[in-house]
Amino acid sequence: MTYEAVVFAEDLSKEFGSIRAVDGISFYVREGECYGFLGPNGAGKTTAIRMIYCRTPVTSGVLKVFGLDVRRYGREIKSMVGVAPQENNLDPDLDVIENLLVYSRYYDIPKKVARERAMELLRFLSIDERRKEQVTKLSGGMQRRLVIARALINNPRLLVLDEPTTGLDPQARHLIWQRIRELKRQGVTMILTTHYMEEAEQLCDRVAVMDLGKILVEGPPRELIERYAGKDVFEIRRVEDEGFLKALRGLEFSFEKAGDTIYIYSNNGDEIGRRLFSIKDIEVLHRRSNLEDVFLKLTGKELRD
Ligand SMILES: Nc1ncnc2c1ncn2[C@@H]1O[C@H](COP(=O)(O)OP(=O)(O)O)[C@@H](O)[C@H]1O
Ligand SMILES: [Mg+2]
């Protein structure tokens, strides 16, 4: 099979009645890369990827997966894609390994092969010791790992992960990140959505920053950060003083105000630091910029909602 990109989308839209959940987005995903959709709740991330794995029809635009038009080749595409949806949707009446085996039947995987593959995946995600347990007894992190294992049962060439770590504690999150990196080393092409900028920075080769159904910017995380936010950020709190704001406007650096905080962006942190730290009665935090700053710079609002 020849195709130029694993996923190719041009002017892709999805409407629910009068809501334009995805509004004319264009992007492509290369073989072997991890591509991320980053954005707040309601940005259109889930809708975008549900079209990719042929779970919901497109309203307009071009969408091809492995070179195949999603409108015509849903069955073929589904057989090559693994999906971990946003909600865990495990079968509570079945134990851990049965949840995988039931799934393997959709793909006509022979029983013996399915059992071997299921054990291998449970080991890979460190839940093999719990294989006989009811899924309702598993922690949130384990349930999430089981959903990822299930997404891998058909040996997919494209793995789609919708918010793989939302709501998990840091240990559970780091374990999932390690496994995602391992899959990437094995050559699995991945698309994930997240509203954690750290997750996108850790895992994704390229990200599309989304808001209100549109892609605002796209590129490698570090490049986006340097282009839009610069290297350094100073967060200044407890600033009610209009005089101070006026003084800031007079200086040659860009800043955003969100909630009780002013964010100053710069590639020349030392110089700005010296000037800010000499001002009395303000609280200044100096840190490296991240993808959240890109979002804030582009939209004027914070990513968390
Ligand atoms: N099945 C649906 N019916 C109607 N509106 C929907 C449906 N699914 C999503 N939406 C709307 O589309 C927009 C984007 O939602 P979604 O793709 O779930 O965003 P995200 O995953 O980024 O949080 C939201 O305004 C949401 O309410
Ligand atoms: Mg979503």
Side-chain angles (χ1 to χ4, degrees):
M1 202 184 331
T2 56
Y3 47 83
E4 281 171 13
V6 173
V7 179
F8 175 82
E10 197 167 64
D11 205 13
L12 176 66
S13 293
K14 173 74 187 186
E15 288 169 8
F16 295 106
S18 60
I19 300 171
R20 239 172 134 73
V22 171
D23 191 1
I25 63 174
S26 300
F27 65 93
Y28 63 91
V29 179
R30 294 187 195 106
E31 183 109 52
E33 99 177 314
C34 180
Y35 189 90
F37 287 102
L38 177 73
N41 284 337
K45 307 180 296 295
T46 295
T47 307
I49 62 169
R50 279 163 64 99
M51 288 190 279
I52 294 170
Y53 62 84
C54 306
R55 189 56 219 285
T56 191
V58 309
T59 302
S60 64
V62 177
L63 181 57
K64 288 182 183 177
V65 182
F66 299 111
L68 304 172
D69 188 332
V70 294
R71 289 182 175 88
R72 280 192 58 194
Y73 295 99
R75 241 185 96 85
E76 289 80 353
I77 292 169
K78 279 182 187 162
S79 74
M80 293 185 275
V81 178
V83 182
Q86 193 169 338
E87 305 300 332
N88 280 342
N89 74 345
L90 293 163
D91 190 330
D93 298 328
L94 300 178
D95 68 22
V96 166
I97 193 159
E98 283 164 350
N99 260 280
L100 296 188
L101 296 175
V102 159
Y103 229 67
S104 71
R105 289 186 212 138
Y106 298 122
Y107 300 102
D108 293 328
I109 302 170
K111 270 210 173 97
K112 187 161 171 290
V113 178
R115 189 158 275 280
E116 279 165 17
R117 178 104 185 112
M119 273 311 293
E120 188 187 312
L121 287 169
L122 291 178
R123 273 194 298 272
F124 176 62
L125 285 146
S126 312
I127 31 174
D128 50 314
E129 285 175 9
R130 313 293 291 269
R131 66 185 176 278
K132 288 281 167 212
E133 223 160 296
Q134 292 301 118
V135 293
T136 47
K137 300 238 176 72
L138 300 182
S139 67
M142 285 183 190
Q143 291 195 15
R144 212 59 196 134
R145 269 140 57 201
L146 180 55
V147 169
I148 294 171
R150 193 184 62 184
L152 291 165
I153 197 80
N154 59 329
N155 242 320
R157 298 168 58 194
L158 171 64
L159 178 64
V160 180
L161 304 164
D162 198 353
E163 298 195 16
T165 68
T166 296
L168 302 184
D169 63 44
Q171 277 96 339
R173 173 172 301 161
H174 279 275
L175 187 72
I176 289 180
W177 286 355
Q178 280 170 26
R179 294 309 185 267
I180 291 176
R181 280 193 290 260
E182 176 58 33
L183 288 167
K184 197 165 165 269
R185 278 193 287 274
Q186 294 172 17
V188 179
T189 306
M190 270 179 276
I191 300 178
L192 64 85
T193 75
T194 183
H195 50 227
Y196 298 123
M197 53 273 152
E198 196 198 345
E199 182 156 286
E201 285 183 60
Q202 286 264 347
L203 302 175
C204 298
D205 299 299
R206 290 187 304 136
V207 296
V209 180
M210 284 190 80
D211 192 28
L212 303 173
K214 290 186 161 52
I215 293 177
L216 304 176
V217 289
E218 187 209 53
R222 237 23 264 178
E223 259 179 55
L224 291 180
I225 292 164
E226 272 170 36
R227 184 162 356 128
Y228 292 97
K231 285 201 203 79
D232 296 279
V233 182
F234 294 88
E235 295 189 14
I236 307 172
R237 260 174 279 265
R238 290 197 300 190
V239 193
E240 270 91 57
D241 182 0
E242 259 309 306
F244 179 73
L245 274 174
K246 268 207 189 100
L248 277 184
R249 286 192 190 101
L251 296 173
E252 286 155 22
F253 43 71
S254 66
F255 68 94
E256 293 290 331
K257 191 170 187 299
D260 65 348
T261 305
I262 290 176
Y263 298 82
I264 294 178
Y265 302 106
S266 163
N267 276 314
N268 189 3
D270 291 349
E271 164 67 18
I272 289 179
R274 260 195 304 280
R275 284 155 80 174
L276 286 175
F277 285 110
S278 68
I279 302 174
K280 283 203 187 80
D281 298 329
I282 58 168
E283 203 179 292
V284 183
L285 173 78
H286 182 191
R287 61 170 172 80
R288 246 162 76 95
S289 52
N290 61 39
L291 276 174
E292 175 142 11
D293 299 305
V294 174
F295 189 81
L296 180 64
K297 266 298 275 292
L298 293 170
T299 66
K301 59 189 185 195
E302 287 166 279
L303 191 57
R304 297 184 199 96
D305 47 1

